[in-house]
Amino acid sequence: QKEVEQNSGPLSVPEGAIASLNCTYSDRGSQSFFWYRQYSGKSPELIMFIYSNGDKEDGRFTAQLNKASQYVSLLIRDSQPSDSATYLCAVRSGGGADGLTFGKGTHLIIQP
Amino acid sequence: DTGVSQNPRHKITKRGQNVTFRCDPISEHNRLYWYRQTLGQGPEFLTYFQNEAQLEKSRLLSDRFSAERPKGSFSTLEIQRTEQGDSAMYLCASSDGGGFETQYFGPGTRLLVL
């Protein structure tokens, strides 16, 4: 059973601070890792993807991957109230199954 | 707008009725995915198509569910004899199937079974 675990939160962060979101996964054969943002009542929106160990930066967002620890994280710098949403971690295995396995999401609240 | 589109956006039906949803992927995306999301949960994979071929089905996809993509473009998801437990957001995503493919989601169809 492939599992993706996230702390459901809510995670409350002051405006302008760094928000740190974490995710662990059970399938060691996983090869692709994604972060989606989902506003209430809306569909998931792709924020970042990462495939290799280390950090990947895109604007205010940094994704970090550690395959040995089976751990993925997302850092949001200079957090804005508009970043308040649920952040979904998704994992794609390398075993020919192409559907993504999602965590339950972390609810992030940026306090003005 | 050339994003993924889904219709209808909302559907209310009575238990036992059949419903059908449609998804139009991003133009030229050859892969199309269906997911289901319930409140407080992440999306759960149901099935996916590469062109017109249905290549994978989750065990979540009971016999009452059927999906088609007859010409490799739009797809339909039908639920027969709906049950209250089918109430959920049904999400469609598409990708170009490249080596590092990313999936882009449509707005979803919210189903309520009374």
Side-chain angles (χ1 to χ4, degrees):
Chain A
Q1 179 80 8
K2 301 171 188 174
E3 294 182 347
V4 176
E5 299 287 340
Q6 295 182 257
N7 188 325
S8 61
L11 174 64
S12 186
V13 174
E15 183 176 358
I18 296 175
S20 178
L21 304 163
N22 304 315
C23 169
T24 58
Y25 59 95
S26 64
D27 182 7
R28 190 169 286 278
S30 299
Q31 296 188 351
S32 311
F33 308 87
F34 306 84
W35 284 99
Y36 287 83
R37 178 175 63 196
Q38 187 171 30
Y39 293 113
S40 180
K42 303 295 185 182
S43 64
E45 173 191 9
L46 181 67
I47 297 296
M48 290 198 68
F49 57 88
I50 187 167
Y51 304 103
S52 304
N53 277 328
D55 295 359
K56 180 181 178 183
E57 186 175 319
D58 184 1
R60 295 187 297 113
F61 300 95
T62 299
Q64 299 174 319
L65 173 61
N66 184 327
K67 288 187 177 180
S69 300
Q70 295 175 241
Y71 179 91
V72 193
S73 65
L74 179 70
L75 300 178
I76 307 175
R77 290 181 298 281
D78 187 24
S79 297
Q80 303 297 309
S82 60
D83 295 326
S84 298
T86 295
Y87 288 80
L88 297 163
C89 174
V91 173
R92 180 170 175 239
S93 74
D98 289 41
L100 296 175
T101 302
F102 282 84
K104 293 183 178 182
T106 298
H107 182 39
L108 175 66
I109 299 172
I110 305 301
Q111 296 177 321
Chain B
D1 189 323
T2 58
V4 179
S5 62
Q6 292 186 246
N7 288 288
R9 296 289 304 278
H10 303 273
K11 179 70 176 179
I12 300 174
T13 190
K14 293 182 178 179
R15 189 175 54 188
Q17 297 295 304
N18 299 343
V19 294
T20 300
F21 309 141
R22 174 176 170 133
C23 171
D24 287 86
I26 293 171
S27 179
E28 297 180 357
H29 274 191
N30 58 9
R31 289 190 175 182
L32 187 148
Y33 300 80
W34 286 100
Y35 292 83
R36 179 175 67 189
Q37 186 176 25
T38 54
L39 197 63
Q41 303 294 314
E44 296 173 296
F45 169 74
L46 293 178
T47 189
Y48 102 94
F49 293 84
Q50 170 105 9
N51 299 312
E52 67 274 10
Q54 188 173 16
L55 295 186
E56 187 185 357
K57 290 194 287 187
S58 162
R59 67 181 190 284
L60 294 175
L61 210 67
S62 77
D63 291 344
R64 297 185 297 105
F65 288 69
S66 62
E68 295 183 341
R69 194 182 183 198
K71 297 182 179 180
S73 56
F74 73 91
S75 175
T76 58
L77 178 68
E78 180 182 19
I79 309 174
Q80 296 182 326
R81 305 181 303 281
T82 52
E83 301 173 356
Q84 288 184 325
D86 297 331
S87 296
M89 172 83 90
Y90 289 83
L91 294 162
C92 175
S94 72
S95 78
D96 61 8
F100 295 114
E101 69 157 305
T102 53
Q103 297 179 22
Y104 297 91
F105 283 85
T109 295
R110 188 173 294 281
L111 172 66
L112 178 61
V113 181
L114 301 176

